[in-house]
Each structure stands twice: as C-alpha cells, then as structure tokens.
Amino acid sequence: MTVTRDVTALEWQPRAIAIGTFDGVHRGHQAVVAAAAASGLVATAVTFDPHPRVVLGNRVELVTTLERRLELLSRAGAEDVLVVEFTPELMRLEPEEFAERYLRAIGGEAVVAGEDFRFGSRRRGDLALLERLGFGVLEVPEVADVSSSAIRAALAEGDVVAAAALLGRPYELDGTVVTGDQRGGTLGYPTANLALDAELACPRHGIYAGEALDHRAAVSIGTNPHYGGTERRIEPHLLDFEGDLYGRRLVVELWERLRDEAVFDSEQDLIEQIGRDVEQARAAARPA
C-alpha cells in the first residue's frame, strides 16, 4: 500500500476513491472502503489530517491516531491512501477544483462516500455534484447508530463493549511507553506507562481487561488515588510478559471494564485487589 501526502506521488490508475475523515475507521467507514474495494478499480482512500473540526477551532477527541487510521484503512481494503492536509485554504477551495486536483488527478473514476459527505467552499460539494462532473458515484448508507460521536460517548461512560460493537473491533489505546513511577514492580505487577497524544479519546477512569502484544492485560486508567496522584496515568500490566517496552509504540485493546479506581485501607489490600484484577483479565473474553 502506498501512503502519501503528495498527490503527484500516486500513479495515475483507474481508481474507486473512498473519501472521508474516517476517524476510528468504524463499521460505517469500513463499509465505504469495502464498497470501493468491490468495484474492480484500485481501491483508494482519501482522508484528511488534521480533523476538519479542529481547523474550525473545535476540540475533537480523536478515536484513533493517524498512524492507526492508515493501518485500519489498509485492513479494510484500501490499496493506496492519500492524506490531504486540511487547512483554511483547502476549506475555501471550490469543490470543482478539489475534484480536479485530488480526485481526477490520480485517476478517480468512481467516488464512494457516506450520504452526509460534504466538501469544498461552503460545503457545497457532495456526491451529486461529483456525478455532474462525470464521476461514477456510490452512496453507502449509514450503518444505523454508528458514528465517531457515539464511540466517544461510550468511552466517556467506560463502556468499551459498546464501543467495540460500533467499531467492529475492540477499542485501542495507542501510545508510546515512557518512564513512570515504577511502583507496579515493587507491588509484584510491573506496568508500562503509556503516553497518549493529548487529542486522543480516553475511556472513563477505571480498571480494564484487555490485551497487548498477544498477552492478556490488566489496565489502570486514572490518577492512582491510593497514592494521592493527580495526573492521569495509563498503566497496562501484561500478563506473563517479560521484556523492555520503554520507547516502544504499544497498542492495547480494551475488552471489559472491571471496576472503578479506589483508595485501599492498606497496600496489602491493594496488592490483593490487583491479583483479583489480573485473574479477571485472564478470564475476560474479547468482544466480538
């Protein structure tokens, strides 16, 4: 798969272009890419970075990093991906000019998008306009009740099972392992301290079961109230894992919310609860 931000880097080929922001690459987005892949043309995704709403001055908690979005678009069936930088200038571009510069220029013959897709100055561009410009178009119906906003709402409640149903896979924490307090090792349960980009959505604080690197994981998200913490920490304990993760990218699936954070009467009580969390994580089932 070719991934580029340079439209001239994509060889001209007859393409079916799936177009959208694709934050989360949820079940609705997957349907759009699958339709492009089923066309018989070169399935190509055109996506935007940063998120258009960010450029408009809004705060957006992204469901995935750009890196993970690109991986998931490939998994969904995209053969090439063009990442278009979303800027105020792009927002003011007339839709006809956008179509020529970013779609026709790479061989776009068909365009696939959801029914609410809009682009160009004053959001005047839509699939009907593209059809008038000579593109074949395919409007993919929305998957009922599936949206990035619904996923964010589920995460805010800590409902990672509902988020997985919307995504078509477990929700993932995608970050870099950095140095933490190193307290987990002294308790007998060493953890990785996962740093997330500030713009990424994060589930409600609590203890979760999940998986990383093919190891079950018990994951603490929160402030470590037992120790009087104030900053959010994301600390997965990978069961039966030995190795150094510092500096590595780590993608952690969240399968089930186990409990709230808590303050314990003693450190021994905390250790015993962590032991129960680990056993629950060992027994947890990956959401379908």
Side-chain angles (χ1 to χ4, degrees), residues 101-116:
R101 187 180 300 182
Y102 294 101
L103 306 181
R104 190 102 62 194
I106 60 175
E109 293 189 359
V111 179
V112 188
E115 55 191 342
D116 62 347

PDB file of all heavy atoms in Angstrom, residues 101-116:
ATOM      1  N   ARG A 101      -8.161  18.478  -8.608  1.00  0.00           N
ATOM      2  CA  ARG A 101      -6.813  18.463  -8.035  1.00  0.00           C
ATOM      3  C   ARG A 101      -6.517  17.177  -7.263  1.00  0.00           C
ATOM      4  O   ARG A 101      -5.389  16.684  -7.273  1.00  0.00           O
ATOM      5  CB  ARG A 101      -6.643  19.670  -7.115  1.00  0.00           C
ATOM      6  CG  ARG A 101      -5.225  19.857  -6.600  1.00  0.00           C
ATOM      7  CD  ARG A 101      -5.124  21.068  -5.683  1.00  0.00           C
ATOM      8  NE  ARG A 101      -5.509  22.309  -6.353  1.00  0.00           N
ATOM      9  CZ  ARG A 101      -5.466  23.499  -5.767  1.00  0.00           C
ATOM     10  NH1 ARG A 101      -5.068  23.602  -4.486  1.00  0.00           N
ATOM     11  NH2 ARG A 101      -5.814  24.586  -6.440  1.00  0.00           N
ATOM     12  N   TYR A 102      -7.530  16.612  -6.599  1.00  0.00           N
ATOM     13  CA  TYR A 102      -7.277  15.481  -5.698  1.00  0.00           C
ATOM     14  C   TYR A 102      -7.945  14.174  -6.136  1.00  0.00           C
ATOM     15  O   TYR A 102      -7.551  13.114  -5.660  1.00  0.00           O
ATOM     16  CB  TYR A 102      -7.746  15.816  -4.275  1.00  0.00           C
ATOM     17  CG  TYR A 102      -6.947  16.932  -3.652  1.00  0.00           C
ATOM     18  CD1 TYR A 102      -7.450  18.226  -3.590  1.00  0.00           C
ATOM     19  CD2 TYR A 102      -5.676  16.702  -3.147  1.00  0.00           C
ATOM     20  CE1 TYR A 102      -6.714  19.256  -3.025  1.00  0.00           C
ATOM     21  CE2 TYR A 102      -4.934  17.719  -2.580  1.00  0.00           C
ATOM     22  CZ  TYR A 102      -5.455  18.998  -2.520  1.00  0.00           C
ATOM     23  OH  TYR A 102      -4.719  20.020  -1.977  1.00  0.00           O
ATOM     24  N   LEU A 103      -8.925  14.233  -6.992  1.00  0.00           N
ATOM     25  CA  LEU A 103      -9.619  13.010  -7.391  1.00  0.00           C
ATOM     26  C   LEU A 103      -9.297  12.638  -8.840  1.00  0.00           C
ATOM     27  O   LEU A 103      -8.789  11.555  -9.112  1.00  0.00           O
ATOM     28  CB  LEU A 103     -11.132  13.176  -7.206  1.00  0.00           C
ATOM     29  CG  LEU A 103     -11.593  13.611  -5.806  1.00  0.00           C
ATOM     30  CD1 LEU A 103     -13.119  13.723  -5.746  1.00  0.00           C
ATOM     31  CD2 LEU A 103     -11.086  12.667  -4.736  1.00  0.00           C
ATOM     32  N   ARG A 104      -9.575  13.566  -9.762  1.00  0.00           N
ATOM     33  CA  ARG A 104      -9.313  13.272 -11.166  1.00  0.00           C
ATOM     34  C   ARG A 104      -7.815  13.093 -11.414  1.00  0.00           C
ATOM     35  O   ARG A 104      -7.410  12.246 -12.230  1.00  0.00           O
ATOM     36  CB  ARG A 104      -9.839  14.399 -12.044  1.00  0.00           C
ATOM     37  CG  ARG A 104      -9.836  14.092 -13.531  1.00  0.00           C
ATOM     38  CD  ARG A 104     -11.208  13.725 -14.028  1.00  0.00           C
ATOM     39  NE  ARG A 104     -12.156  14.824 -13.866  1.00  0.00           N
ATOM     40  CZ  ARG A 104     -13.482  14.677 -13.977  1.00  0.00           C
ATOM     41  NH1 ARG A 104     -13.993  13.496 -14.263  1.00  0.00           N
ATOM     42  NH2 ARG A 104     -14.288  15.706 -13.818  1.00  0.00           N
ATOM     43  N   ALA A 105      -6.995  13.841 -10.693  1.00  0.00           N
ATOM     44  CA  ALA A 105      -5.544  13.824 -10.946  1.00  0.00           C
ATOM     45  C   ALA A 105      -4.904  12.474 -10.662  1.00  0.00           C
ATOM     46  O   ALA A 105      -3.838  12.167 -11.200  1.00  0.00           O
ATOM     47  CB  ALA A 105      -4.868  14.902 -10.095  1.00  0.00           C
ATOM     48  N   ILE A 106      -5.530  11.650  -9.824  1.00  0.00           N
ATOM     49  CA  ILE A 106      -4.950  10.337  -9.514  1.00  0.00           C
ATOM     50  C   ILE A 106      -5.690   9.204 -10.230  1.00  0.00           C
ATOM     51  O   ILE A 106      -5.415   8.030  -9.983  1.00  0.00           O
ATOM     52  CB  ILE A 106      -4.931  10.076  -8.000  1.00  0.00           C
ATOM     53  CG1 ILE A 106      -6.330  10.092  -7.406  1.00  0.00           C
ATOM     54  CG2 ILE A 106      -4.029  11.083  -7.286  1.00  0.00           C
ATOM     55  CD1 ILE A 106      -6.381   9.708  -5.923  1.00  0.00           C
ATOM     56  N   GLY A 107      -6.624   9.563 -11.108  1.00  0.00           N
ATOM     57  CA  GLY A 107      -7.325   8.553 -11.894  1.00  0.00           C
ATOM     58  C   GLY A 107      -8.689   8.187 -11.349  1.00  0.00           C
ATOM     59  O   GLY A 107      -9.251   7.152 -11.735  1.00  0.00           O
ATOM     60  N   GLY A 108      -9.230   9.022 -10.493  1.00  0.00           N
ATOM     61  CA  GLY A 108     -10.531   8.722  -9.911  1.00  0.00           C
ATOM     62  C   GLY A 108     -11.615   8.575 -10.965  1.00  0.00           C
ATOM     63  O   GLY A 108     -11.872   9.508 -11.728  1.00  0.00           O
ATOM     64  N   GLU A 109     -12.228   7.405 -11.025  1.00  0.00           N
ATOM     65  CA  GLU A 109     -13.353   7.165 -11.919  1.00  0.00           C
ATOM     66  C   GLU A 109     -14.660   7.054 -11.148  1.00  0.00           C
ATOM     67  O   GLU A 109     -15.715   7.427 -11.671  1.00  0.00           O
ATOM     68  CB  GLU A 109     -13.125   5.896 -12.748  1.00  0.00           C
ATOM     69  CG  GLU A 109     -11.964   6.030 -13.735  1.00  0.00           C
ATOM     70  CD  GLU A 109     -11.883   4.866 -14.702  1.00  0.00           C
ATOM     71  OE1 GLU A 109     -12.726   3.924 -14.600  1.00  0.00           O
ATOM     72  OE2 GLU A 109     -10.988   4.879 -15.560  1.00  0.00           O
ATOM     73  N   ALA A 110     -14.575   6.523  -9.941  1.00  0.00           N
ATOM     74  CA  ALA A 110     -15.749   6.405  -9.083  1.00  0.00           C
ATOM     75  C   ALA A 110     -15.390   6.941  -7.704  1.00  0.00           C
ATOM     76  O   ALA A 110     -14.244   6.822  -7.252  1.00  0.00           O
ATOM     77  CB  ALA A 110     -16.199   4.953  -8.984  1.00  0.00           C
ATOM     78  N   VAL A 111     -16.376   7.549  -7.053  1.00  0.00           N
ATOM     79  CA  VAL A 111     -16.186   8.088  -5.707  1.00  0.00           C
ATOM     80  C   VAL A 111     -17.229   7.446  -4.799  1.00  0.00           C
ATOM     81  O   VAL A 111     -18.413   7.381  -5.143  1.00  0.00           O
ATOM     82  CB  VAL A 111     -16.319   9.626  -5.681  1.00  0.00           C
ATOM     83  CG1 VAL A 111     -16.135  10.149  -4.261  1.00  0.00           C
ATOM     84  CG2 VAL A 111     -15.299  10.260  -6.624  1.00  0.00           C
ATOM     85  N   VAL A 112     -16.750   6.986  -3.654  1.00  0.00           N
ATOM     86  CA  VAL A 112     -17.600   6.287  -2.691  1.00  0.00           C
ATOM     87  C   VAL A 112     -17.573   7.063  -1.386  1.00  0.00           C
ATOM     88  O   VAL A 112     -16.497   7.425  -0.883  1.00  0.00           O
ATOM     89  CB  VAL A 112     -17.111   4.845  -2.444  1.00  0.00           C
ATOM     90  CG1 VAL A 112     -18.110   4.074  -1.587  1.00  0.00           C
ATOM     91  CG2 VAL A 112     -16.845   4.130  -3.758  1.00  0.00           C
ATOM     92  N   ALA A 113     -18.735   7.341  -0.814  1.00  0.00           N
ATOM     93  CA  ALA A 113     -18.783   8.088   0.444  1.00  0.00           C
ATOM     94  C   ALA A 113     -20.117   7.852   1.119  1.00  0.00           C
ATOM     95  O   ALA A 113     -21.062   7.317   0.522  1.00  0.00           O
ATOM     96  CB  ALA A 113     -18.563   9.591   0.204  1.00  0.00           C
ATOM     97  N   GLY A 114     -20.188   8.272   2.386  1.00  0.00           N
ATOM     98  CA  GLY A 114     -21.450   8.229   3.103  1.00  0.00           C
ATOM     99  C   GLY A 114     -22.372   9.322   2.615  1.00  0.00           C
ATOM    100  O   GLY A 114     -21.960  10.296   1.977  1.00  0.00           O
ATOM    101  N   GLU A 115     -23.659   9.187   2.946  1.00  0.00           N
ATOM    102  CA  GLU A 115     -24.662  10.104   2.413  1.00  0.00           C
ATOM    103  C   GLU A 115     -24.500  11.528   2.923  1.00  0.00           C
ATOM    104  O   GLU A 115     -24.971  12.475   2.278  1.00  0.00           O
ATOM    105  CB  GLU A 115     -26.062   9.586   2.740  1.00  0.00           C
ATOM    106  CG  GLU A 115     -26.310   9.325   4.205  1.00  0.00           C
ATOM    107  CD  GLU A 115     -27.610   8.567   4.427  1.00  0.00           C
ATOM    108  OE1 GLU A 115     -28.453   8.558   3.511  1.00  0.00           O
ATOM    109  OE2 GLU A 115     -27.767   7.972   5.498  1.00  0.00           O
ATOM    110  N   ASP A 116     -23.820  11.725   4.047  1.00  0.00           N
ATOM    111  CA  ASP A 116     -23.681  13.077   4.592  1.00  0.00           C
ATOM    112  C   ASP A 116     -22.357  13.727   4.211  1.00  0.00           C
ATOM    113  O   ASP A 116     -22.017  14.798   4.724  1.00  0.00           O
ATOM    114  CB  ASP A 116     -23.820  13.059   6.117  1.00  0.00           C
ATOM    115  CG  ASP A 116     -22.737  12.227   6.784  1.00  0.00           C
ATOM    116  OD1 ASP A 116     -22.038  11.474   6.076  1.00  0.00           O
ATOM    117  OD2 ASP A 116     -22.595  12.328   8.027  1.00  0.00           O
TER     118      ASP A 116
END
